[in-house]
Amino acid sequence: MSVFVAVVAYVAHLFFNSIVASNGVDVYGFEVPAFIVSGFLGLAFAVILQHALAGRRQPVEGAVFITGCDSGMGEVSALHLAKIGFRVYAGCFLQSSDAQLQEKFNKQSNNKGSISYVPLDVTKTESIQQAHATVEKDLAANGMNGLVSIINCAGISYTGPLEYLPMRMYRHQMDVNFFGYIEVTKAFLPLVKRVVSDPQQRRGRVVFVGTGGGVLTPAPGLLSAYMASKWAGEAFIQCLRMEMRLTGQRIDACMVNPGFIKPTGLVDAGKANVEKMWTTVPANAREEYEWLTDRFIKFSDDQPGTHPRFIAYAMEEALTASRPNLSYKVGPDSKASPFVGMLPTKLREWIVNASMFQVYDWTPQ
């Protein structure tokens, strides 16, 4: 539920509560309390008002460029958006992903769009430039003058104690999850501006994949590199969103914030990165932190997770909404985490430490 709906519902609830009989309403012989009736009417009014103000939805048309389409969230988003009617350019790190994507796309029924493999390493400027040239050439060959959206899904995760995690891992984390997102966006944004400059065309979109509940998510131990990269993306998207509005550009920017998404390759890749990390740090680092890392990995394994298809549905909503939200939270853990993040610091940290690391001490040693 958006903040808008919540606020309007509460105000409408107060209004209806003032006009509903204080002793409630009789419904088939049952007396329903006034506060329940006014609450229901307030919520219904807020939802109807939100839909009325939203205006018409953006059409499913045009071309989209997506990074990180080798597997997981990027792959499922590319396949779904191609299925419903977008022309999808799928940026992939692995050459083998070409045949894999086409095979999965061909197995889908009722495909209305198309999908094209584009080789891409988001950490290399020359690769991004080549991808841009490939996409621009193909767009021209198909009578299209640009893109309607850029979606950044590429991602890696490094887990480890911040005092020992090698700087090269911090840099690689930021290169993929943040600088790669920025460079791809800066390279392809002119293609979106071409389309939206025509007021008869639909609005454009830039979407980043974040994490959890966004900037209100508590930052747990061992995830300093990963959380830093995702929070940096949140700041970039908010600035981009404001700059587009201030300059009158018909481009909206938003985040898709997933909780635990399964199955994807991110968890297994994260475990492999932990093993690499242990081989590069002093022996005492493992003695100090391995128990903590093992508990976090067990916590991650035990989470049921949300299926990646719900990421694809969030991407569809972000691309077709008349005015998209700043953030689309996917999964119950993603929706709950901002509320934990707003708790008093001591309580928030206790909840995170107890749930993720099975450390229940209220007072630190």
Side-chain angles (χ1 to χ4, degrees):
M1 181 185 298
S2 69
V3 173
F4 174 82
V5 171
V7 172
V8 173
Y10 179 70
V11 174
H13 157 70
L14 295 178
F15 170 75
F16 287 118
N17 194 55
S18 68
I19 61 176
V20 173
S22 59
N23 60 343
V25 176
D26 183 86
V27 180
Y28 296 106
F30 294 95
E31 186 175 289
V32 181
F35 76 91
I36 293 181
V37 175
S38 59
F40 175 79
L41 291 173
L43 179 60
F45 174 79
V47 171
I48 292 170
L49 180 62
Q50 184 187 44
H51 282 285
L53 294 176
R56 68 180 183 89
R57 298 184 70 79
Q58 296 295 300
V60 178
E61 62 183 22
V64 178
F65 183 72
I66 309 176
T67 71
C69 295
D70 297 280
S71 63
M73 292 179 276
E75 180 188 60
V76 73
S77 296
L79 292 169
H80 177 71
L81 294 179
K83 178 183 176 68
I84 65 174
F86 288 102
R87 183 178 191 86
V88 174
Y89 294 98
C92 299
F93 183 72
L94 302 173
Q95 187 174 357
S96 59
S97 297
D98 186 2
Q100 175 181 295
L101 274 173
Q102 289 300 330
E103 180 182 359
K104 291 184 177 181
F105 178 72
N106 292 334
K107 286 182 178 179
Q108 294 184 153
S109 59
N110 302 317
N111 286 319
K112 298 178 181 178
S114 64
I115 193 166
S116 300
Y117 162 84
V118 179
L120 177 69
D121 181 345
V122 299
T123 68
K124 291 183 168 54
T125 298
E126 58 272 20
S127 177
I128 295 172
Q129 291 173 343
Q130 183 58 50
H132 178 276
T134 298
V135 170
E136 189 170 36
K137 181 179 179 181
D138 192 78
L139 286 169
N142 287 277
M144 306 176 77
N145 70 333
L147 300 170
V148 299
S149 181
I150 306 161
I151 300 177
N152 286 281
C153 292
I156 59 169
S157 176
Y158 284 109
T159 302
L162 61 86
E163 62 176 313
Y164 296 114
L165 192 69
M167 282 307 301
R168 63 177 179 79
M169 290 186 173
Y170 274 106
R171 291 190 179 97
H172 191 219
Q173 180 79 84
M174 297 299 288
D175 281 343
V176 175
N177 289 18
F178 181 54
F179 294 122
Y181 281 34
I182 292 177
E183 192 163 6
V184 166
T185 300
K186 287 169 66 69
F188 285 87
L189 192 60
L191 294 180
V192 181
K193 292 175 73 174
R194 282 186 198 171
V195 173
V196 303
S197 63
D198 181 356
Q200 300 303 313
Q201 297 291 326
R202 56 156 290 156
R203 295 179 66 85
R205 299 286 190 269
V206 177
V207 185
F208 279 18
V209 171
T211 191
V215 292
L216 289 177
T217 300
L222 304 180
L223 294 183
S224 59
Y226 180 75
M227 296 301 293
S229 70
K230 291 301 184 181
W231 283 356
E234 296 269 357
F236 183 87
I237 280 293
Q238 291 195 33
C239 290
L240 176 61
R241 187 180 178 97
M242 294 298 290
E243 289 182 13
M244 294 297 97
R245 178 173 295 182
L246 288 167
T247 56
Q249 299 291 335
R250 298 173 56 248
I251 299 173
D252 305 298
C254 57
M255 303 291 302
V256 169
N257 293 108
F260 277 97
I261 304 295
K262 295 181 178 180
T264 68
L266 190 63
V267 174
D268 289 338
K271 291 179 183 178
N273 287 332
V274 168
E275 291 306 314
K276 290 179 184 176
M277 184 266 299
W278 289 135
T279 65
T280 63
V281 300
N284 64 299
R286 192 159 194 161
E287 294 172 5
E288 289 181 53
Y289 286 100
E290 186 174 30
W291 67 275
L292 207 56
T293 305
D294 289 345
R295 290 186 184 185
F296 176 74
I297 291 174
K298 184 180 185 304
F299 169 80
S300 300
D301 288 341
D302 289 345
Q303 301 310 300
T306 300
H307 195 276
R309 70 176 179 274
F310 291 99
I311 291 291
Y313 299 156
M315 293 295 182
E316 178 184 352
E317 177 62 24
L319 266 59
T320 60
S322 176
R323 291 290 193 276
N325 298 335
L326 172 60
S327 172
Y328 292 91
K329 295 172 178 59
V330 181
D333 45 352
S334 175
K335 293 178 172 65
S337 60
F339 295 99
V340 178
M342 289 187 289
L343 292 173
T345 301
K346 191 172 183 179
L347 178 57
R348 178 182 71 241
E349 292 177 349
W350 183 86
I351 291 173
V352 172
N353 291 339
S355 60
M356 289 187 169
F357 304 108
Q358 295 83 58
V359 175
Y360 303 101
D361 295 337
W362 178 256
T363 304
Q365 296 181 356

